[in-house]
């Protein structure tokens, strides 16, 4: 195991991960420090005599400390914005003040492509009950029922979903009862989500609430049989058009994509998704439990995949082909990889020498901070610090720690569905195939987490806040910082380019082979732009000069 810190290669920076961690934590009062120190860890991997590597324990999925400026979103944002946001033909009505609805209205730049203009596409709309003071005082159920009726009259959708925001939970409107009554009255599927912003410690709670309701109310409604190599893609949200590139690759390989949860998705795809033979999980955090529930109820096993990075894409396509164990599919997959790779190599030849050795920090999402490290590695760039906004310990340390994760009061707040095998729809043949493949050494349900792939002694920080981001940038001066819109301009004022990885700014797509090339170009443009060296960071004229000055650690492009 390497004893080198990711910072060792920069002789100008006399700072270790350990000392930097101490400095970050020293700013806090005692009680706050006790909480934060569990979430800020140095990735010190220890191998025993047999070579078994153990990772540090990280605190995750705990409440943000009041007073710090977190990157997180609320539970409603996770439910409506992340999971249901990319569905195009479900009318999503936010029951609450308009501010909440605006917050989750296409803020992630999900894209969708209806086959023709005649097909439903409600994504550009923001549906809200626009609650006012009198609704808070006298209740908003009648207003909600009217809104559902109005949406039905105007759009005639297959389904309407209703999302509760904080005020609704506080006054006690029963959105589920209203939804059930309207389902009866209108004859379409109407269902609700108790996803009030305060429901969990982060947007992760909202993902869980969203997926549970889709699983309960939609999955399993359509038993139409599918092609001979059929999969679902779970945890891919079609930011910047990623799903379009992945769909194209799968189609060229002859793989039948039944449903994506939920990028470029439709109601009918969710309804038929249980007929897929294999579930492929992209974002482990937001959806691994749907893969588990589907396996228990219907039989298809699941694997972890990653379509971010050319190498990762090739590996994932090969892993899917290996599962089906069919010569024809294997040949098709290899043919597609061979067609795509020359352009990737060509682009690497151009961009790698310009980016090699530069350093990135990634603080995004619940898998993106892991997946994007593969793309940076393809450019020869090192990730010196990373962490998630809303992950749980297994996303950092791998699924082996699942039995050790304590269920706290916040997690108990989220309904855990009890799922049994469906007597009519459970497909024993999928299960039998999985057992046979497992015996041959094929790995299912496997995810080693972010820390296993992070450099030795890199800093791993859960739920990073503004103070910590600013200190990391001030002390380490990375060449690029990846985050979201809330951080973007603060980071850039410090003279460091910030790449949004929740919405891709105006760039992307970055998935698959073509997406990797797009990313190389974009990162080269960002890390080599001279403009960053012309910006005076706010601390440059501050009296406190304990830390190395920005000029002493600047790495000129
Ligand atoms: S925290 Fe509550 S009030 Fe704020 S956006 Fe989320 S649901 Fe709306």
């Amino acid at each position: 195991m390497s004893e080198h810190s990711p910072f060792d290669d920069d002789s100008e920076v006399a700072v270790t991960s350990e000392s930097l961690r101490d400095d970050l934590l020293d700013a806090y009062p005692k009680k706050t420090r006790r909480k934060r120190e569990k979430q800020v860890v140095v990735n010190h991997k220890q191998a025993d005599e047999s070579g078994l590597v153990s990772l540090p324990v990280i605190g995750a999925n705990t409440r943000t400390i009041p007073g710090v400026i977190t990157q997180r979103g609320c539970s409603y944002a996770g439910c409506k914005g992340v999971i249901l946001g990319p569905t195009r033909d479900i009318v999503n009505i936010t029951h609450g003040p308009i501010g909440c609805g605006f917050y989750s209205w296409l803020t992630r730049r999900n894209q969708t492509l209806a086959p023709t203009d005649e097909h439903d596409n409600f994504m550009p709309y923001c549906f809200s009950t626009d609650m006012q003071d009198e609704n808070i005082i006298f209740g908003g159920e009648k207003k909600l029922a009217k809104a559902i009726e109005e949406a039905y009259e105007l759009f005639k959708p297959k389904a309407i979903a209703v999302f509760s925001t904080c005020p609704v939970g506080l006054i006690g409107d029963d959105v589920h009862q209203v939804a059930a009554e309207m389902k009866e009255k209108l004859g379409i599927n109407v269902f609700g989500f108790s996803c009030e912003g305060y429901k969990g410690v982060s947007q992760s709670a909202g993902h869980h609430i969203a997926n549970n309701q889709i699983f309960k109310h939609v999955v399993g409604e359509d038993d139409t049989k599918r092609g001979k190599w059929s999969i679902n893609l779970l945890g891919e949200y079609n930011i910047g058009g990623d799903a379009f590139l992945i769909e194209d690759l799968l189609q060229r390989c002859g793989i039948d994509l039944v449903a994506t949860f939920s990028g470029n998705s439709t109601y009918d795809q969710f309804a038929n998704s249980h007929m897929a033979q294999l579930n492929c999980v992209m974002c482990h955090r937001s959806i691994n439990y749907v893969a588990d529930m589907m396996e228990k109820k219907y039989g298809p096993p699941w694997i972890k995949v990653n379509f971010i990075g050319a190498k990762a894409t090739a590996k994932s396509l090969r892993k899917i082909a290996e599962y089906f164990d069919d010569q024809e599919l294997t040949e098709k997959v290899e043919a597609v990889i061979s067609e795509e790779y020359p352009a990737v190599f060509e682009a690497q030849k151009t961009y790698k020498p310009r980016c090699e050795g530069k350093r990135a920090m990634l603080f995004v999402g619940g898998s993106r901070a892991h997946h994007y490290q593969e793309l940076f590695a393809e450019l020869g760039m090192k990730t010196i610090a990373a962490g998630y906004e809303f992950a749980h310990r297994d996303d950092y340390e791998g699924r082996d720690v699942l039995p050790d994760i304590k269920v706290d009061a916040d997690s108990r707040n989220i309904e855990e569905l009890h799922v049994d095998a469906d007597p009519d729809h459970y497909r024993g043949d999928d299960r039998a195939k999985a057992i046979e493949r497992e015996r041959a050494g094929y790995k299912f349900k496997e995810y080693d987490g972010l820390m296993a792939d992070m450099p030795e002694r890199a800093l791993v920080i859960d739920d990073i806040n503004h103070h910590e981001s600013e200190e990391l940038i001030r002390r380490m001066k990375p060449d690029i910082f990846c985050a979201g819109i809330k951080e973007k301009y603060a980071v850039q004022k410090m003279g460091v380019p910030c790449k949004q990885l929740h919405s891709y700014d105006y760039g992307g797509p970055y998935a698959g082979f073509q997406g990797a090339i797009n990313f190389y170009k974009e990162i080269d443009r960002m890390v080599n732009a001279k403009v960053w060296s012309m910006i005076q960071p706010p601390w440059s004229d501050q009296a406190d000069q304990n830390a190395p000055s920005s000029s002493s650690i600047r790495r000129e492009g």
Side-chain angles (χ1 to χ4, degrees):
M1 192 80 38
S2 161
E3 281 306 309
H4 293 288
S5 149
F7 310 140
D8 284 351
D9 57 354
D10 189 340
S11 54
E12 284 182 285
V13 183
V15 60
T16 64
S17 301
E18 287 80 2
S19 67
L20 184 49
R21 176 180 182 268
D22 282 343
D23 291 347
L24 293 180
L25 296 170
D26 278 348
Y28 295 123
K30 244 193 205 158
K31 206 170 141 196
T32 307
R33 185 190 164 114
R34 269 205 306 278
K35 287 186 180 162
R36 274 310 285 160
E37 64 190 5
K38 296 188 183 109
Q39 290 169 273
V40 182
V41 303
V42 176
N43 194 28
H44 189 39
K45 306 172 196 172
Q46 284 178 308
D48 67 14
E49 282 163 6
S50 64
L52 200 71
V53 177
S54 62
L55 298 164
V57 175
I58 189 164
N61 195 35
T62 54
R63 286 184 195 192
T64 297
I65 297 158
V68 303
I69 305 175
T70 175
Q71 290 183 322
R72 284 172 165 177
C74 70
S75 169
Y76 159 74
C79 184
K80 157 67 175 83
V82 175
I83 306 291
L84 272 296
T87 62
R88 70 168 166 262
D89 59 359
I90 299 176
V91 165
N92 292 319
I93 300 180
T94 295
H95 185 35
I98 191 64
C100 306
F102 187 83
Y103 170 55
S104 61
W105 178 29
L106 280 186
T107 45
R108 300 225 314 152
R109 296 184 205 272
N110 313 108
Q111 297 187 10
T112 197
L113 194 60
T116 70
D117 288 348
E118 305 306 311
H119 285 78
D120 287 339
N121 178 10
F122 307 126
M123 265 176 63
Y125 295 95
C126 177
F127 298 91
S128 167
T129 53
D130 185 21
M131 282 180 100
Q132 302 293 319
D133 295 355
E134 66 265 27
N135 309 126
I136 303 292
I137 297 161
F138 299 111
E141 291 180 1
K142 283 192 186 129
K143 193 172 192 187
L144 173 61
K146 212 164 155 231
I148 294 172
E149 213 160 352
E150 195 181 325
Y152 178 72
E153 288 306 323
L154 286 171
F155 298 100
K156 296 283 181 320
K158 285 183 179 146
I160 296 179
V162 178
F163 303 84
S164 301
T165 65
C166 294
V168 170
L170 296 173
I171 64 172
D173 274 2
D174 188 344
V175 297
H176 303 284
Q177 182 57 32
V178 176
E181 285 166 12
M182 296 314 288
K183 181 176 178 172
E184 182 76 25
K185 185 169 177 185
L186 303 175
I188 60 161
N189 200 351
V190 185
F191 47 99
F193 298 82
S194 291
C195 57
E196 296 83 358
Y198 58 76
K199 245 331 178 8
V201 303
S202 70
Q203 55 266 60
S204 171
H207 306 148
H208 207 144
I209 293 164
N211 286 319
N212 280 352
Q213 293 298 79
I214 294 284
F215 194 78
K216 268 205 298 204
H217 293 276
V218 190
V219 172
E221 294 223 317
D222 169 13
D223 290 336
T224 307
K225 288 212 171 15
R226 303 298 303 210
K228 65 175 174 175
W229 309 309
S230 59
I231 67 163
N232 293 318
L233 194 55
L234 306 187
E236 203 309 301
Y237 300 107
N238 202 17
I239 311 292
D242 278 350
F244 301 144
L245 292 180
I246 302 172
E247 284 168 17
D248 174 64
L249 287 173
L250 294 174
Q251 196 188 16
R252 282 159 58 202
C253 294
I255 296 166
D256 180 14
L257 178 63
V258 183
T260 300
F261 285 67
S262 49
N264 196 27
S265 59
T266 64
Y267 182 87
D268 289 343
Q269 289 164 356
F270 292 149
N272 187 231
S273 58
H274 63 302
M275 299 306 287
Q277 294 155 279
L278 179 70
N279 277 326
C280 301
V281 175
M282 275 279 281
C283 173
H284 177 261
R285 177 64 269 136
S286 59
I287 206 161
N288 67 76
Y289 33 82
V290 170
D292 277 332
M293 290 194 293
M294 240 196 253
E295 180 171 359
K296 264 196 200 147
K297 191 164 177 181
Y298 301 107
W302 69 268
I303 56 170
K304 172 82 178 72
V305 294
N306 176 18
F307 286 101
I308 299 298
K311 230 168 144 179
T313 300
K315 196 173 152 197
S316 297
L317 289 174
R318 286 182 174 129
K319 177 123 189 170
I320 294 169
E322 197 190 337
Y323 170 71
F324 288 106
D325 194 23
D326 184 302
Q327 186 63 22
E328 187 191 342
L329 176 61
T330 305
E331 282 169 14
K332 283 184 172 205
V333 163
E334 290 305 325
V336 168
I337 294 171
S338 309
E339 277 165 35
E340 294 284 332
Y341 242 107
V344 173
F345 284 138
E346 221 25 62
Q348 285 176 352
K349 253 196 271 168
T350 308
Y351 298 110
K352 196 171 171 186
R354 296 170 53 82
C355 299
E356 191 135 41
K358 294 192 184 289
R359 306 170 313 156
M361 290 181 179
L362 286 93
F363 291 96
V364 269
S367 275
R368 282 173 193 264
H370 187 186
H371 291 164
Y372 275 85
Q373 294 190 32
E374 302 220 23
L375 264 171
F376 281 118
E378 286 174 10
L379 286 169
M381 289 175 65
K382 191 183 281 184
T383 302
I384 56 173
Y388 299 128
E389 284 172 31
F390 52 82
H392 299 201
R393 271 185 61 203
D394 44 319
D395 304 298
Y396 288 104
E397 299 171 54
R399 290 178 63 84
D400 287 350
V401 301
L402 279 172
D404 302 335
I405 297 179
K406 287 191 201 107
V407 181
D408 58 19
D410 288 310
S411 303
R412 271 193 207 102
N413 215 2
I414 311 302
E415 183 189 21
E416 281 295 336
L417 296 187
H418 178 77
V419 176
D420 289 317
D422 184 315
D424 300 323
H425 297 98
Y426 186 81
R427 296 193 308 279
D429 51 340
D430 281 344
R431 188 72 213 123
K433 185 179 171 72
I435 293 169
E436 175 211 315
R437 304 296 301 122
E438 207 157 25
R439 278 200 194 116
Y442 190 89
K443 301 259 193 242
F444 292 98
K445 294 187 178 198
E446 193 191 34
Y447 183 49
D448 289 337
L450 170 139
M451 283 166 150
D453 283 341
M454 285 285 291
E456 171 69 8
R457 291 177 60 215
L459 270 175
V460 183
I461 306 179
D462 182 63
D463 184 21
I464 197 169
N465 56 51
H466 186 83
H467 148 69
E468 290 161 5
S469 308
E470 195 169 305
E471 275 304 292
L472 280 185
I473 293 169
R474 189 167 77 95
R475 300 287 297 269
M476 300 312 308
K477 198 74 184 176
D479 295 286
I480 193 162
F481 192 94
C482 301
I485 187 66
K486 296 195 285 292
E487 299 76 43
K488 182 178 166 97
Y489 298 102
V491 171
Q492 295 194 160
K493 279 180 192 166
M494 296 177 212
V496 171
C498 180
K499 178 71 195 163
Q500 283 199 77
L501 286 183
H502 299 296
S503 71
Y504 298 169
D505 301 285
Y506 299 94
Y510 299 134
F513 303 100
Q514 180 54 48
I517 297 169
N518 295 343
F519 192 77
Y520 304 158
K521 277 188 201 161
E522 173 77 349
I523 296 306
D524 170 45
R525 185 183 68 79
M526 293 181 82
V527 299
N528 288 313
K530 296 287 178 204
V531 67
W532 305 113
S533 59
M534 297 170 193
I535 293 172
Q536 278 295 313
W539 61 79
S540 61
D541 51 357
Q542 280 172 7
D544 174 16
Q545 296 299 330
N546 292 341
S549 71
S550 58
S551 60
S552 78
I553 57 174
R554 182 179 295 282
R555 294 158 64 87
E556 298 291 352

